[in-house]
Amino acid sequence: AQTVTQSQPEMSVQEAETVTLSCTYDTSENNYYLFWYKQPPSRQMILVIRQEAYKQQNATENRFSVNFQKAAKSFSLKISDSQLGDTAMYFCAVDGGSQGNLIFGKGTKLSVKP
Amino acid sequence: EPEVTQTPSHQVTQMGQEVILRCVPISNHLYFYWYRQILGQKVEFLVSFYNNEISEKSEIFDDQFSVERPDGSNFTLKIRSTKLEDSAMYFCASGRDYMDEQFFGPGTRLTVL
């Protein structure tokens, strides 16, 4: 069974600074996708970034980048130049089956302070 | 920009009652999902739906749960006889392809008394 672990329940960062959110996972699949989703307060979850496991190059999306270590089953999210609007719950997820159902971690609550 | 919508935003029901949670996925999406999040716990997969049938379901999705796409636009989750432990936030999601980004709705908060 697939599992996802986020070991940091809460984090805070100063505006304009860089922060890294940790995620480890376990899966028996050979080909899979990893995701970071963001859930702002009282709003719906939106995709931040996606990584295909067979691609060695780390995904980047503007200020968001990942450090994907396949052998270690680690998938951390780095947010550069943090903005107040980055304040949210961040969920790490792995696709858990042939139909794309997602297995989520418990989330990290990130607060960006002015 | 197209969005997944869910109604109601909050549902309160008595234990043993039936509830139907409604979702309108994005119109050109083919894959549909229900997830739930019990307060303070992780988001959990319930069921996936494709081509008018369930494609995968979790252990949570037992006989008291059912899903339906009655009219080509709505996607519903029915809980036949609610239990206290069904209290949670229920999220609907849809995607163009099973490996594609899933777009989530805002959720329905279900409270079972």
Side-chain angles (χ1 to χ4, degrees):
Chain A
Q2 287 88 352
T3 59
V4 177
T5 303
Q6 293 179 251
S7 58
Q8 305 150 315
E10 289 192 45
M11 293 190 74
S12 65
V13 63
Q14 291 297 127
E15 198 175 5
E17 297 291 305
T18 295
V19 64
T20 299
L21 309 184
S22 301
C23 173
T24 57
Y25 64 93
D26 194 16
T27 179
S28 55
E29 302 288 328
N30 290 322
N31 188 23
Y32 52 92
Y33 287 72
L34 295 156
F35 305 84
W36 278 98
Y37 276 86
K38 167 187 176 181
Q39 186 178 36
S42 303
R43 297 186 63 186
Q44 53 222 78
M45 272 197 287
I46 55 174
L47 181 69
V48 174
I49 200 165
R50 182 174 78 158
Q51 174 80 41
E52 297 172 68
Y54 65 88
K55 286 189 176 179
Q56 291 186 331
Q57 187 173 9
N58 289 324
T60 298
E61 202 66 51
N62 300 315
R63 298 183 293 108
F64 299 88
S65 61
V66 299
N67 183 3
F68 174 47
Q69 303 288 329
K70 190 173 183 179
K73 293 185 177 175
S74 170
F75 182 60
S76 60
L77 174 70
K78 185 171 86 170
I79 306 174
S80 304
D81 186 25
S82 298
Q83 300 175 1
L84 297 178
D86 295 334
T87 292
M89 281 291 288
Y90 286 82
F91 294 97
C92 178
V94 63
D95 73 80
S98 61
Q99 297 302 316
N101 52 291
L102 298 175
I103 306 301
F104 285 90
K106 292 187 87 170
T108 296
K109 184 177 181 180
L110 177 67
S111 299
V112 180
K113 300 187 184 304
Chain B
E1 189 170 327
E3 287 186 333
V4 176
T5 59
Q6 289 185 244
T7 54
S9 56
H10 190 191
Q11 172 99 43
V12 181
T13 190
Q14 295 291 325
M15 190 170 57
Q17 295 295 304
E18 175 183 286
V19 295
I20 297 176
L21 311 182
R22 291 183 167 80
C23 168
V24 179
I26 294 172
S27 62
N28 63 345
H29 286 183
L30 302 176
Y31 289 79
F32 312 108
Y33 308 85
W34 282 102
Y35 296 84
R36 79 171 186 191
Q37 185 179 29
I38 296 171
L39 187 63
Q41 298 187 26
K42 62 176 67 177
V43 177
E44 301 172 292
F45 166 73
L46 292 178
V47 65
S48 58
F49 192 86
Y50 169 71
N51 201 25
N52 282 321
E53 60 183 22
I54 291 173
S55 45
E56 202 157 353
K57 60 183 180 180
S58 72
E59 294 172 350
I60 303 168
F61 194 87
D62 60 24
D63 291 345
Q64 71 161 342
F65 290 92
S66 62
V67 290
E68 197 176 35
R69 190 158 158 81
D71 56 13
S73 61
N74 290 285
F75 179 50
T76 62
L77 173 70
K78 182 193 291 186
I79 310 175
R80 265 180 267 282
S81 177
T82 49
K83 298 180 277 199
L84 294 176
E85 53 265 38
D86 293 329
S87 293
M89 184 75 98
Y90 288 80
F91 295 102
C92 172
S94 68
R96 284 183 296 252
D97 195 354
Y98 69 94
M99 284 296 191
D100 205 355
E101 172 185 357
Q102 291 182 27
F103 292 78
F104 282 79
T108 292
R109 180 168 298 284
L110 176 66
T111 302
V112 182
L113 302 176

